[in-house]
Amino acid sequence: MSSAIPDQTAPETDTVLVVDFGAQYAQLIARRVREARVYSEIVPSSMPVAEMLARNPKAIILSGGPSSVYEEGAPRLDRAIFEAGVPVFGMCYGFQLMAITLGGTVDNTGAREYGRTPLAVSRTGSTLFEGVPAQHSVWMSHGDACSAAPEGFTVTASTDLVPVAAFENDEARLYGVQYHPEVLHSDHGQQILEHFLYRGAGIAPTWTTGNVVDEQVALIRAQVGDKRAICGLSGGVDSAVAAALVNKAIGDKLTCVYVDHGLMRKGETEQVEKDFVAATGVQLKVVDAQERFLDALKGVSDPEEKRKIIGREFIRVFEQAQAEIVAEAGEHGESVEFLVQGTLYPDVVESGGGTGTANIKSHHNVGGLPEDLQFQLVEPLRKLFKDEVRMVGQELGLPEEIVQRQPFPGPGLGIRIVGEVTKERLDLLREADAIAREELTAAGLDREIWQCPVVLLADVRSVGVQGDGRTYGHPIVLRPVSSEDAMTADWSRLPYEVLAKISTRITNEVRDVNRVVLDCTSKPPGTIEWE
């Protein structure tokens, strides 16, 4: 979390900490807790237990992870976490770590269970398994196995290969399961998680989007005071909701700045100027910076460098806008000290922040910020996933056209061109993108997919035949994906007739394009954007 912003959790919020042991599902656990209307945050396993406890969590969840508890250098946890009186729920590696730390037995037998596995519940009336069928399938992913529970624990479930697949200690309020209840492949997994939260930890399900709005409005007012703020408005749902929240908190002390950097999709500048202002009544300043951005990106092909250049130029344009806004206000105008950004939790995580994970890619609003930033940041969405942001937007009364808009990256089409960014290439990609969006809307698929990035492989050419002649044109990539939060995604199985119509129109109507290909890669291993 940036030192320039206050803790995003209001003091009265009940918080569950998800301790990340390098699990691919850590973010999913946090989401599932929030779906149960309980606020959650992810912390790295390297965080000292004293620091975790100092945050006064109502419960702690230990995630899975790729390590064996017997590996040299495998993550460990101070026993004090289990003796602090805070309810703890271990999953997979977290379960084994709890077992071995408290005196149970974990065997490195080589007996592996991966995928859907039948679970036999021996205590169907227990805290975790009340009302859950005695036989159901769960998602396993482990090599080691717990053969004996620690003293004071009751074994509540097993599998054919694992004698202790779940255990509970109601007196100490410690619970654990060998499997992954957070994934949809585990039957009744959300019910098990909610049983821990509500029954084991005694947390009331009170965290709602209404709470988020009230808490953030209070935090924004406390942070900004009577000063002025500007917001970088892209027209996307993230910046729109962030602006609406800040506008609710400080009213006409906010000026939204829309940077027309020439990297937007067809018709989007006009949409921002018309729809968002009409919906919110905010003050909007439009800055034409197309030439500036193209000059800065000239000759640059490296995706990380492009992101950082775009982030840097955004800030410089905001500084210019700041000076103009102050000048326009006259000698009695207040200073503009705050910059509002629509940064989301996935942006922070993928930029290497929040969980101690590696940097996957620098988001322009996280890893791309210059060191000499002259604003204090206001990031009211920094701890939210995309679907939660949409719900906050609905709570604020924003129109569906804005709230349900498909995600579009802050760096715009600049990172959907693989290669150097030029005006000619941007115009080409804009036309192809507009065709894809038109056909998806006509087919009624806008709500069926998360988004459909259209990518230009500018440095690639292939031979084609058009008009009985040889062509040597660029390929366009369609990347339709389905996701809930952008942390994971799967490619969308669009109807062949829709894909065929998009392909035909692009190759017929867009110059220098003679091939359309489909990206059918999930995330992981691929990211949603190509750059």
Side-chain angles (χ1 to χ4, degrees), residues 237-280:
V237 63
D238 305 337
S239 63
V241 173
L245 262 175
V246 176
N247 188 57
K248 182 178 177 67
I250 64 173
D252 61 7
K253 298 286 187 182
L254 172 69
T255 300
C256 288
V257 178
Y258 174 75
V259 178
D260 186 1
H261 51 25
L263 306 176
M264 300 299 285
R265 296 186 292 191
K266 190 174 182 178
E268 287 191 312
T269 297
E270 295 77 12
Q271 180 189 44
V272 169
E273 292 185 272
K274 181 184 69 173
D275 295 346
F276 185 74
V277 173
T280 62

Side-chain angles (χ1 to χ4, degrees), residues 311-326:
R312 181 194 70 211
E313 293 304 315
F314 257 110
I315 297 301
R316 297 305 174 227
V317 171
F318 286 133
E319 290 171 347
Q320 174 187 331
Q322 174 196 33
E324 293 174 358
I325 291 168
V326 171

Side-chain angles (χ1 to χ4, degrees), residues 161-300:
L161 294 179
V162 179
V164 183
F167 54 45
E168 305 180 27
N169 184 333
D170 285 318
E171 183 177 354
R173 297 197 294 175
L174 303 176
Y175 305 88
V177 296
Q178 175 60 72
Y179 59 95
H180 290 276
E182 72 275 21
V183 303
L184 295 177
H185 301 296
S186 287
D187 297 342
H188 310 287
Q190 185 68 13
Q191 187 177 358
I192 297 299
L193 178 58
E194 291 177 1
H195 281 174
F196 165 71
L197 296 170
Y198 306 156
R199 305 177 70 199
I203 302 174
T206 58
W207 189 72
T208 66
T209 51
N211 297 147
V212 174
V213 171
D214 293 342
E215 291 171 6
Q216 288 303 321
V217 166
L219 287 168
I220 293 163
R221 286 173 178 163
Q223 181 185 5
V224 177
D226 60 356
K227 302 292 196 311
R228 296 191 64 86
I230 60 175
C231 175
L233 190 66
S234 70
V237 63
D238 305 337
S239 63
V241 173
L245 262 175
V246 176
N247 188 57
K248 182 178 177 67
I250 64 173
D252 61 7
K253 298 286 187 182
L254 172 69
T255 300
C256 288
V257 178
Y258 174 75
V259 178
D260 186 1
H261 51 25
L263 306 176
M264 300 299 285
R265 296 186 292 191
K266 190 174 182 178
E268 287 191 312
T269 297
E270 295 77 12
Q271 180 189 44
V272 169
E273 292 185 272
K274 181 184 69 173
D275 295 346
F276 185 74
V277 173
T280 62
V282 300
Q283 300 181 63
L284 178 66
K285 181 180 181 66
V286 178
V287 180
D288 184 351
Q290 297 184 51
E291 188 173 338
R292 174 177 184 153
F293 276 78
L294 283 173
D295 286 346
L297 291 167
K298 188 174 183 179
V300 178

Side-chain angles (χ1 to χ4, degrees), residues 411-428:
L413 298 179
I415 59 167
R416 291 184 177 175
I417 294 176
V418 180
E420 182 185 2
V421 178
T422 66
K423 184 179 185 305
E424 293 71 26
R425 290 174 173 183
L426 284 166
D427 289 342
L428 185 157

